[in-house]
Each structure stands twice: as structure tokens, then as C-alpha cells.
Amino acid sequence: MADAFPRLSADPLPAGTRIACRIEYNGSGYNGWQSQPHLDVTTVQQELERGLSSVAGAPVRVHCAGRTDTGVHGHCQIVHFDTPAQRPPKSWVLGANASMDPSVRVHWAVPVDEDFHARFSATARRYRYVIANALVRPALLPGQLSWQRRPLDAALMHAEAQALLGERDFSAFRAAACQSPTPMRNMHDISVTRRGQLVVIDLQANAFLHHMVRNIAGSLMAVGSGRQPAGWMAELMLERDRSRAAETAPPDGLYLVDVSYPAKFGLPATPYGPLILGD
């Protein structure tokens, strides 16, 4: 079980130390993760770097495990940076949080070896897509839940999702603007479960294509609501045609909930979340 109250060391770390952090954010008010200085928009990366730079007294540039799109949330985004100043982990966490908008939070900061890279050292990413399945759209948690007014058969969606397991060509769920040189990805695990009025799609893969999770979610909801027949997900995988799949699901209910790294880096454990799911 992850520790909800980790000890934040007050021992200063030398300038030049590489530091890894867990970042949580509500993506509703941001134009995605990646900094876009050429546009007059606010991104999560810009807000985080502003907070960390206020602690360092100098510019800080971060590198993340995976860029998220506009409106997508981060429960466990991992970043790293090389500190330009001597500061303890406690200062990086508390100081950055005091300077940033409440929609972005640093949960821990730990020193790591210089060969650690938030993106390239990662072995897997896990996302959860959370759907409020009710006749009326919920008034609470706006922007943090997707919504489907038609009843969803979560058991059928789970069975259909198993056609996506393994090293596969995910062209059917790849955005037209995707810049990856290959559509091949390895889906380690995928499940669909119901928790009262919430339906949760849980996916882990070595990496994801642009809009891949939202496109999968849209097609699974098409089957779960009866708009498409059983066996359709397997057909889509074989056809490899994005135009045959369902519409892209909204970003509202999508969360990056975990990033896996080799044990040698010793990063703190984090519950998958988000907190609204109670685990």
C-alpha cells in the first residue's frame, strides 16, 4: 500500500542532482501537458515549471513520462529535472505547491541516478477512463467524468476489450495526427468494471498512440450500449481502419494513473486512483 503521508526530507540536495517527482493535476483548465510558448495558452508543464522555478530561484525545465492532451488529467504523472540550486525535497514539494494554482500538485520529490529519464526509463503506462453511466449528467465533478446516458453492459465491454491484448497493430484507434513511426503497441492488461453508476476502463501498455485510449473507450461504449454487436472490437483490430471505429470519447474522464519503472530507481509507490474511485 502506498504511503499517503510520505516523509519529505529536509536534507539539502546538491545543485545538479537529478530529481523525480509525482505530479497530480486537473487538466480541465489547461491546453494539455506540453509547453507551447508560441501560443497564448496555459499548459500543465508551464504551471509546474513556474512553481519549481520559484523554489530554485532559476529556470527549471522538466521532462515527463507521457504528454497528455487538453482536458486529460494526471493522477500519477512522473517528471524529472536537474536542479539548478541546492534545495531539500521538502522545499521542492511544499514550495512549488505554494506557488502554483491548486489544480496542479507535487506529491513527492526524490533524488534519482543520472541515468533515470521520466520518459525513456518507463516500462509501462496505465490509464483509467471513468464514465458516469446515468440518464442525467452529474452536476458534481464537472470535467472529471465522462458521461454516457445509455445503459452500458460492462461485462460485455470487458469481454470485447480482451481482443486488444498483446503486441498488436492499433491503427484502428490511432489519431490521424499521431506522430509515432509505428502503430504497434503492447497492451499488457485491459479491464472494464462497474462500480455503481461508474464504469471504469483500465488499460496498461508499454506506450500509447495519440488518442488511443479515448478511441478505444469510444468503441467499447458503442458495443456496451448496443450500438455495435459483440465481436466488433476484434473486427476493428483486423481491419486496422480508424474510419470504421467509433468516435473519439471526450477527454473528461481520462486519467494517467501510473507509470512503471525498473525497481532499481526506487520510486515511491502510488495507488492507481483517481481518488474518486477510492483505491
Side-chain angles (χ1 to χ4, degrees):
M1 176 66 68
D3 186 357
F5 300 92
R7 178 180 177 273
L8 300 176
S9 173
D11 298 329
L13 299 171
T17 299
R18 179 155 294 186
I19 295 177
C21 301
R22 173 201 160 195
I23 311 301
E24 181 182 30
Y25 51 90
N26 181 335
S28 299
Y30 295 93
N31 200 56
W33 166 268
Q34 189 174 15
S35 178
Q36 301 177 54
H38 59 292
L39 298 176
D40 185 22
V41 296
T42 302
T43 68
V44 180
Q45 182 180 2
Q46 288 172 317
E47 183 65 12
L48 175 61
E49 289 177 346
R50 186 180 69 82
L52 294 173
S53 297
S54 71
V55 177
V60 172
R61 179 75 170 177
V62 302
H63 303 269
C64 73
R67 293 174 294 180
T68 52
D69 293 331
T70 299
V72 175
H73 313 296
H75 173 75
C76 184
Q77 173 72 272
I78 302 298
V79 307
H80 83 263
F81 63 94
D82 296 323
T83 170
Q86 180 175 296
R87 301 285 188 273
K90 185 174 183 179
S91 293
W92 291 116
V93 175
L94 301 184
N97 288 341
S99 300
M100 294 188 298
D101 186 90
S103 58
V104 181
R105 281 292 171 262
V106 181
H107 279 265
W108 46 253
V110 296
V112 289
D113 293 339
E114 62 180 14
D115 64 338
F116 174 85
H117 193 286
R119 177 184 175 190
F120 299 119
S121 298
T123 57
R125 286 89 172 161
R126 182 179 290 271
Y127 282 87
R128 279 179 168 176
Y129 192 79
V130 186
I131 308 159
N133 190 205
L135 179 62
V136 177
R137 183 190 295 272
L140 302 179
L141 302 174
Q144 297 178 55
L145 295 172
S146 186
W147 173 58
Q148 173 55 251
R149 65 179 178 83
R150 298 181 180 181
L152 293 174
D153 184 337
L156 175 58
M157 293 168 67
H158 175 78
E160 286 288 297
Q162 305 316 298
L164 280 59
L165 288 172
E167 183 82 22
R168 307 291 299 276
D169 183 327
F170 282 89
S171 293
F173 304 107
R174 179 184 190 180
C178 182
Q179 297 179 355
S180 173
T182 173
M184 301 300 293
R185 291 294 186 269
N186 191 339
M187 185 72 74
H188 301 159
D189 181 61
I190 182 168
S191 66
V192 183
T193 56
R194 176 174 287 280
R195 306 186 185 193
Q197 289 186 325
L198 298 180
V199 173
V200 182
I201 305 173
D202 193 324
L203 318 87
Q204 178 176 297
N206 63 329
F208 289 87
L209 300 167
H210 190 202
H211 285 178
M212 178 174 159
V213 177
R214 291 168 58 192
N215 290 336
I216 290 173
S219 291
L220 285 175
M221 284 191 281
V223 175
S225 63
R227 291 190 292 123
Q228 293 292 344
W232 191 54
M233 296 298 289
E235 292 178 8
L236 293 176
M237 291 296 287
L238 289 174
E239 293 172 353
R240 303 176 185 178
D241 183 353
R242 174 69 189 102
S243 67
R244 289 272 293 115
E247 64 278 3
T248 303
D252 306 45
L254 183 55
Y255 296 79
L256 173 61
V257 297
D258 190 49
V259 185
S260 300
Y261 294 94
K264 69 175 184 177
F265 293 119
L267 298 187
T270 298
Y272 288 153
L275 289 177
I276 56 174
L277 297 181
D279 61 358

